[in-house]
Structures are given as structure tokens and as C-alpha cells.
Amino acid sequence: MSCGEPHETDCSEVLDHLYEFLDREMPDGDCAKFEVHFDECSPCLEKYGLEQAVKKLVKRCCGHDDVPTDLRSKVMGRIELIRSGHAVPERELTAEAADACADTAAGSGANTGGANTGADTAEARPAGANTPTAAQE
């Protein structure tokens, strides 16, 4: 979105960082530039008003739950990776889960290395592999 008018701060930059502005997570100097932009640009001011209203609504309806610190750290870390242009996998695998996937892909389904890598745990076994049947109970 752009109003087509030249501004000191481009509309795309303002809209790309709108939530940082709304959350006051940017330096004061940048906030001042955004405020000047909103004074000059009615489409961006309208978008700011809409996003501010959505944020208030979400806070009113969902703002009572505390976010666990470790979850917030993970989310913020992924956001920073994305902003810096690094590829972020959809799902990160732990070494144990990767070993289990490798064993399953090889068709063995068992830990063949002799060392306890976690691949021979209940989580890595197919469903029902070591569950007692009614006859065994």
C-alpha cells in the first residue's frame, strides 16, 4: 500500500514495521518518524488505526493469559531469524527424533548401533508395537 506521495519514510517501511511501532519496540527516533508519516499519509494512518483496534480487541479478549518465558524467547528468536533473511525450518528436529526418523526410513525400526540414542524408546516405536494384548495381560 502506498499513497503515491513521496515521504521521508516510505509507506512500505512503515507498514513493514507497524507492529513494532504499535508495541513500542522501536527506538524513539523511529517512532517520531512514523508519527510524522502518519500525519502526512492518510492510507497508512487508516491502516495504523485498524491494526491498533485489532490489537486492543485481542488484548481485551485474550490478554489475560501469561505467555511462558521460554515460548516467548523461541518465537522472538524465530522472528529475528526471519527478519534477518535466514531460512527457518517449519519443524526443528531434536537429535533423538532425527535418529528415530532415520531408523524408520531404513526400515529397521530398531536401534542397530548398540548405543542408546533414544531410537529404541516408546516414542520411536510404531503404535502398538510393545503394548500388551488382552491375552498377555
Side-chain angles (χ1 to χ4, degrees), residues 126-137:
N130 279 337
T131 31
T133 63
Q136 292 173 326
E137 291 179 345

Side-chain angles (χ1 to χ4, degrees), residues 61-120:
C61 295
C62 307
H64 305 291
D65 298 329
D66 290 330
V67 177
T69 305
D70 61 329
L71 175 60
R72 179 172 169 69
S73 296
K74 288 177 185 177
V75 169
M76 294 307 293
R78 288 180 73 96
I79 289 171
E80 289 304 317
L81 282 173
I82 291 167
R83 284 184 180 157
S84 67
H86 290 89
V88 180
E90 288 295 317
R91 186 173 139 230
E92 294 180 17
L93 295 175
T94 64
E96 182 175 333
D99 288 345
C101 288
D103 285 347
T104 302
S108 69
N111 183 4
T112 58
N116 184 4
T117 63
D120 195 26

Side-chain angles (χ1 to χ4, degrees), residues 1-136:
M1 171 194 305
S2 176
C3 66
E5 300 293 323
H7 300 285
E8 182 181 336
T9 307
D10 188 59
C11 293
S12 62
E13 181 182 347
V14 170
L15 297 176
D16 286 346
H17 299 280
L18 187 57
Y19 276 95
E20 291 172 64
F21 177 80
L22 281 166
D23 295 336
R24 299 292 182 205
E25 294 178 344
M26 59 181 10
D28 291 339
D30 290 343
C31 286
K33 289 188 333 185
F34 277 43
E35 289 166 358
V36 168
H37 184 91
F38 293 133
D39 288 341
E40 299 173 348
C41 182
S42 61
C44 287
L45 178 62
E46 185 178 330
K47 180 72 172 165
Y48 165 73
L50 175 65
E51 297 300 331
Q52 187 178 42
V54 168
K55 184 175 164 68
K56 285 180 182 177
L57 179 63
V58 169
K59 183 177 182 178
R60 189 180 79 219
C61 295
C62 307
H64 305 291
D65 298 329
D66 290 330
V67 177
T69 305
D70 61 329
L71 175 60
R72 179 172 169 69
S73 296
K74 288 177 185 177
V75 169
M76 294 307 293
R78 288 180 73 96
I79 289 171
E80 289 304 317
L81 282 173
I82 291 167
R83 284 184 180 157
S84 67
H86 290 89
V88 180
E90 288 295 317
R91 186 173 139 230
E92 294 180 17
L93 295 175
T94 64
E96 182 175 333
D99 288 345
C101 288
D103 285 347
T104 302
S108 69
N111 183 4
T112 58
N116 184 4
T117 63
D120 195 26
T121 63
E123 294 84 19
R125 288 184 219 115
N130 279 337
T131 31
T133 63
Q136 292 173 326

